[in-house]
Amino acid sequence: MSVSAISYARHVARWEPNALERLSQAAMELFVERGYARTTVEDIAERAGLTERTFFRYFTDKREVLFSGSSELERLIIDAVAGAPAAAAPLDIVVAALEATDAMFAERRAFARRRSALVAAHGDLQERELIKLAKLAASIATSLRKRGIAEPAASLAAEAGIAIFKIAFERWVGDAKHGLAHHIRAGRDALEVVTSRAKRPRSRSGR
């Protein structure tokens, strides 16, 4: 074997089985045991039995452990929007796409509950959550426009959908009986009631 080949072999990243899952599990365990602020990347890597270099292969920082599924979630929703029936109304398209995430979250229910509590307790995580949701709303609006839905309908439907999703998710993490799709549908129904009342003509007395 040549010197150059030996040098290359030393720098090839070693494959670590289930590294992403191990890091995510280790991080969540430590966040709960020690607290989010007191947990370091070094701690997470050590608990997972991996190196810090491996950690940074998957995450930019420890916060991203809690947001690592964002890209997968966005792809799932955007694909569902793109595949919706041509005659469907904008908000119905978005709500159906959000409901399609039910199975994904059902598999991660325990993680989602602990994650939700951590996000609620830390301002920087809340800020990151809002940024991710804003990005998702923008992607949904773009996908709707590609279907031929004009503005402002595309953006309104996307933003309304994200509002429904946010409230539904908060209710779902505290509900051991119903799935996320149930709460998304309930949110859609509640929005329908709100908009119906808003459209109701006022009486002459002003009431």
Side-chain angles (χ1 to χ4, degrees), residues 120-135:
H122 296 85
D124 61 328
L125 297 180
Q126 293 174 32
E127 181 179 2
R128 183 70 67 96
E129 180 92 313
L130 291 174
I131 291 171
K132 295 287 185 178
L133 289 174
K135 180 177 179 295

Side-chain angles (χ1 to χ4, degrees), residues 79-199:
D79 287 347
V81 169
L91 185 57
D92 291 338
I93 293 172
V94 175
V95 169
L98 295 173
E99 288 180 18
T101 67
D102 184 270
M104 171 184 170
F105 283 107
E107 296 175 353
R108 309 174 185 182
R109 193 178 192 104
F111 182 90
R113 283 177 172 171
R114 287 182 290 179
R115 175 192 177 280
S116 181
L118 282 167
V119 171
H122 296 85
D124 61 328
L125 297 180
Q126 293 174 32
E127 181 179 2
R128 183 70 67 96
E129 180 92 313
L130 291 174
I131 291 171
K132 295 287 185 178
L133 289 174
K135 180 177 179 295
L136 179 57
S139 295
I140 293 173
T142 297
S143 186
L144 290 172
R145 287 192 292 271
K146 288 180 180 178
R147 290 177 57 92
I149 298 171
E151 290 291 353
S155 291
L156 285 171
E159 294 290 347
I162 291 300
I164 290 171
F165 180 78
K166 184 175 180 294
I167 293 171
F169 192 88
E170 291 171 355
R171 296 177 67 86
W172 170 71
V173 293
D175 181 0
K177 182 178 179 181
H178 300 101
L180 179 60
H182 167 84
H183 290 289
I184 290 173
R185 288 191 292 271
R188 173 68 173 86
D189 292 343
L191 182 61
E192 184 68 30
V193 171
V194 170
T195 56
S196 294
R197 288 179 177 174
K199 294 175 183 177

